[in-house]
Amino acid sequence: MDQLQDIRARIARSAEIAGRKPEAIELIAISKTHDAEAIEPLLAAGQRVFGENRVQEAEAKWPALRTAYPEVKLHLVGQLQSNKAEDAVALFDCIHSVDRPSLVAALGKAMEKAARKVPCFIQVNIGAEDQKGGCAIADVPALLASAREAGIPVVGLMCVPPAGIEAAPFFALLAKIAADNNADGGLDQLSMGMSDDFETAVLLGATQVRVGSALFGKRA
Ligand SMILES: *Cc1c(COP(=O)(O)O)cnc(C)c1O
């Protein structure tokens, strides 16, 4: 799988430049819209961490693949409706899109009911865009506090910067917001960087990069 080797090498090179260990960066292969046939080569090449943006699509695709590869970890990177919280908690190993109090409440309840604590990221609307998911920067402290109160293990912050302009300032801003809210510890992870900008994200401290099209080709 040439693309996978290429992406891994580029992550490693960026990590080295930044004085970081390549193992400190987790590559999440974003397999949304791609079927099992497209995913198989990545599994065969050793990739074990995948991301999807829709609960139903993931439910249709992954149970069978996971039977063959039980050690696969699945991340939810798309917006989550509160009425899908139980399904998401059952299926995913990590949720990147916690962005509002109603979802915090639903996820807290779902995790308690399932007796399963799923690590979560708080998604920040880093470019203050109307159409994007994520909480406002000013709301991060309160949302973080309520998530912790609800028993949700929040491990870090996630963002999708505005399209079409340089992402670096937004990645740096997310890192600063995380540092500013990390007095009590535990907010050490940064989910940022996609196909076009993951190297920049690694330079600026990403611990999770979410790469889709650079691995799978363009989505239909
Ligand atoms: C689709 C998606 C990605 C991957 O995007 P590419 O540009 O294809 O790498 C990453 N993060 C989120 C939240 C996505 O929805």
Side-chain angles (χ1 to χ4, degrees), residues 58-81:
E59 278 173 336
K61 219 154 63 180
W62 279 99
L65 286 166
R66 269 177 151 175
T67 306
Y69 298 91
E71 67 281 27
V72 158
K73 299 287 182 211
L74 263 192
H75 291 232
L76 178 65
V77 301
Q79 282 199 34
L80 177 59
Q81 291 171 280

Side-chain angles (χ1 to χ4, degrees), residues 32-186:
K32 65 187 183 195
T33 77
H34 298 289
D35 60 13
E37 206 176 316
I39 295 169
E40 280 284 359
L42 278 161
L43 286 164
Q47 177 67 24
R48 289 295 179 270
V49 186
F50 290 84
E52 292 282 343
N53 71 334
R54 293 179 58 215
V55 176
Q56 264 171 317
E57 181 183 338
E59 278 173 336
K61 219 154 63 180
W62 279 99
L65 286 166
R66 269 177 151 175
T67 306
Y69 298 91
E71 67 281 27
V72 158
K73 299 287 182 211
L74 263 192
H75 291 232
L76 178 65
V77 301
Q79 282 199 34
L80 177 59
Q81 291 171 280
S82 296
N83 64 7
K84 298 261 172 64
E86 284 192 21
D87 294 341
V89 165
L91 183 67
F92 290 97
D93 301 291
C94 184
I95 296 171
H96 291 237
S97 47
V98 178
D99 64 355
R100 60 196 188 276
S102 58
L103 182 58
V104 161
L107 282 172
K109 262 190 220 153
M111 288 185 201
E112 198 173 295
K113 189 171 164 191
R116 175 175 156 80
K117 297 283 183 189
V118 179
C120 287
F121 288 82
I122 288 183
Q123 182 177 352
V124 183
N125 188 351
I126 202 74
E129 297 173 281
D130 287 342
Q131 77 281 13
K132 274 233 176 99
C135 75
I137 292 171
D139 295 341
V140 170
L143 195 63
L144 178 61
S146 70
R148 294 225 164 112
E149 210 164 294
I152 298 172
V154 180
V155 296
L157 302 183
M158 177 273 212
C159 76
V160 181
I165 58 171
E166 175 54 50
F170 298 98
F171 293 153
L173 180 56
L174 192 75
K176 180 182 186 300
I177 298 164
D180 287 349
N181 285 281
N182 204 14
D184 301 330

Side-chain angles (χ1 to χ4, degrees), residues 30 32 53 77-78 158 160 194-196 210-214 219:
I30 305 297
K32 65 187 183 195
N53 71 334
V77 301
M158 177 273 212
V160 181
M194 318 201 309
S195 289
D196 289 338
R210 311 178 309 265
V211 178
S213 47
R219 286 178 293 276

